[in-house]
């Protein structure tokens, strides 16, 4: 009896070994199935190839057996009458034919719903396949979307994306502010007003200024920061300059050697917020009265 083992089947047998070699590429499992599949992409591909090769080998072995059977019967003088096989339509062809099994025109009266709009009648016929399958596809995608973005840790929900975007925005603002620390225009300062910036400035004040000016700005060795009297000027620019250059004759160091311009600005902004807080044990007034002048904006 003859056999048919040619290069195609030898190559197929060689491919069977591939999945076992690829399994050595496997890594530790990750938190999600998608991460695991990504980390073990070679293993996943190997399994797919292994399954495909298995089906190929199964068909090849059946072909070999049938071929050997026919050869054996032919050698024994048995006449083999080929049987014409009736090819069964594919499942896609059956679905297509079923979907397009529309009611013929001569039977439209059976599905007439009795609604007439300017001569246009409404029939209870089948919907076009492309519409039906698209509708089923949207349901499938919707279920997958709900699972990925609301039922698992694979994707981020809209709220999580918003919160992440806000965090990235804040980080970008802080990074931008850090790059601008040496480019502050002292002639046109803008006070820091956000709660987070003022809270940070409060910590800087407690660490560096409270020893002389009091924890609440009530004064001590240094002047009172909570009234409207200032020794070296009470505008934001004046306070900024005083912190930056110091008052050596009064024992106050110049902080420009230890603080960035942005830090000095935040500290000056915080000190300005102490005005009118009226803490206990205030030091007596020193310097000259300073009243903030608000610049009115004239509409065009």
């Amino acid at each position: 009896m003859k056999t048919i083992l040619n290069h195609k089947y030898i190559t197929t047998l060689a491919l069977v070994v591939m999945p076992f070699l690829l399994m050595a590429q496997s890594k530790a499992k990750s938190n999600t199935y998608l991460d695991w599949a990504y980390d073990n992409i070679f293993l996943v591909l190997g399994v797919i190839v292994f399954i495909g090769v298995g089906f190929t080998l199964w068909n090849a072995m059946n072909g070999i057996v049938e071929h050997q059977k026919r050869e054996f019967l032919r050698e024994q003088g048995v006449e083999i009458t080929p049987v014409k096989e009736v090819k069964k339509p594919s499942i896609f062809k059956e679905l297509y034919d079923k979907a397009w099994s529309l009611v013929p025109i001569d039977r439209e009266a059976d599905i007439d719903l009795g609604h007439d709009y300017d001569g246009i009648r409404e029939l209870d016929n089948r919907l076009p396949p492309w519409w039906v399958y698209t509708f089923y596809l949207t349901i499938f995608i919707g279920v997958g979307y709900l699972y990925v973005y609301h039922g698992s840790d694979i994707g981020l929900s809209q709220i999580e994306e918003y919160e992440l975007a806000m965090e990235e925005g804040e980080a970008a603002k802080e990074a931008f502010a850090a790059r601008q620390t040496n480019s502050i225009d002292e002639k046109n300062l803008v006070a820091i007003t956000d709660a987070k910036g003022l809270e940070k400035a409060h910590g800087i004040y407690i660490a560096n200024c409270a020893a002389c000016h009091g924890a609440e700005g009530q004064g001590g060795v240094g002047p009172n920061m909570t009234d409207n009297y200032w020794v070296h000027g009470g505008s934001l620019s004046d306070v900024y300059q005083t912190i930056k250059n110091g008052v050596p004759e009064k024992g106050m160091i110049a902080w420009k050697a230890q603080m960035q311009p942005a830090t000095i600005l935040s500290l000056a902004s915080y000190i300005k917020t102490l005005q009118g807080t009226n803490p206990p044990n205030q030091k007596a007034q020193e310097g000259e009265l300073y009243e903030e002048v608000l610049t009115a904006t004239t509409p065009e």
Side-chain angles (χ1 to χ4, degrees), residues 129-141:
W130 66 266
W131 191 96
V132 175
Y133 296 146
T134 302
F135 178 70
Y136 291 155
L137 180 62
T138 59
I139 295 176
F140 177 78
I141 294 175

Side-chain angles (χ1 to χ4, degrees), residues 13-283:
L13 290 173
L15 289 175
V16 176
V17 184
M18 182 182 296
F20 300 100
L21 297 177
L22 294 175
M23 287 181 184
Q25 303 289 334
S26 177
K27 300 179 181 179
K29 290 186 177 180
S30 301
N31 294 330
T32 65
Y33 294 110
L34 290 181
D35 290 338
W36 181 87
Y38 180 81
D39 293 339
N40 300 275
I41 186 65
F42 291 109
L43 175 60
V44 174
L45 293 176
V47 171
I48 295 174
V49 172
F50 177 76
I51 294 173
V53 169
F55 281 111
T56 302
L57 286 176
W58 177 262
N59 293 330
M61 294 303 296
N62 286 337
I64 293 173
V65 171
E66 290 296 326
H67 177 79
Q68 291 179 338
K69 185 187 297 184
R70 288 193 298 269
E71 289 292 322
F72 175 76
L73 294 175
R74 187 176 293 110
E75 291 174 358
Q76 300 299 321
V78 178
E79 194 67 30
I80 303 174
T81 303
V83 179
K84 186 177 181 181
E85 297 182 0
V86 179
K87 187 176 181 181
K88 183 180 179 181
S90 66
I91 186 173
F92 299 104
K93 183 68 167 59
E94 291 179 354
L95 290 174
Y96 181 84
D97 293 339
K98 184 177 180 180
W100 276 105
S101 59
L102 303 178
V103 176
I105 296 179
D106 56 357
R107 293 178 52 196
E108 285 186 350
D110 298 339
I111 58 173
D112 194 331
L113 296 178
H115 301 156
D116 192 313
Y117 302 93
D118 294 332
I120 301 174
R121 295 180 296 120
E122 183 179 1
L123 305 179
D124 188 17
N125 214 335
R126 292 181 179 272
L127 293 169
W130 66 266
W131 191 96
V132 175
Y133 296 146
T134 302
F135 178 70
Y136 291 155
L137 180 62
T138 59
I139 295 176
F140 177 78
I141 294 175
V143 172
Y145 179 90
L146 287 175
Y147 172 75
V148 171
Y149 293 101
H150 297 279
S152 70
D153 296 330
I154 300 175
L156 298 177
S157 66
Q158 291 181 337
I159 295 177
E160 291 172 334
E161 287 184 348
Y162 169 77
E163 293 175 348
L164 180 61
M166 293 299 293
E167 292 177 2
E168 292 176 349
E170 288 297 327
K173 286 171 56 179
E174 293 178 0
F176 177 78
R179 292 194 299 269
Q180 303 300 315
T181 53
N182 295 318
S183 60
I184 293 177
D185 186 359
E186 299 178 10
K187 297 180 181 179
N188 190 23
L189 298 174
V190 178
I192 304 298
T193 58
D194 63 285
K196 185 177 179 181
L198 292 176
E199 182 179 357
K200 185 176 180 181
H202 171 71
I204 298 173
Y205 176 87
I206 294 298
N208 299 282
C209 310
C212 295
H213 297 279
E216 297 178 311
Q218 71 272 21
V221 177
N224 181 1
M225 299 287 190
T226 63
D227 58 22
N228 294 327
Y229 288 83
W230 297 83
V231 178
H232 303 287
S235 69
L236 180 64
S237 179
D238 292 334
V239 177
Y240 178 93
Q241 294 286 350
T242 302
I243 299 171
K244 176 182 177 180
N245 299 317
V247 187
E249 63 273 15
K250 297 289 185 68
M252 178 176 174
I253 66 172
W255 289 99
K256 61 183 178 183
Q258 302 182 37
M259 295 182 182
Q260 294 288 344
T263 304
I264 298 176
L265 175 59
S266 65
L267 184 56
S269 301
Y270 172 76
I271 291 174
K272 289 289 292 180
T273 65
L274 296 177
Q275 283 187 277
T277 54
N278 195 29
N281 303 319
Q282 294 185 47
K283 188 178 181 180

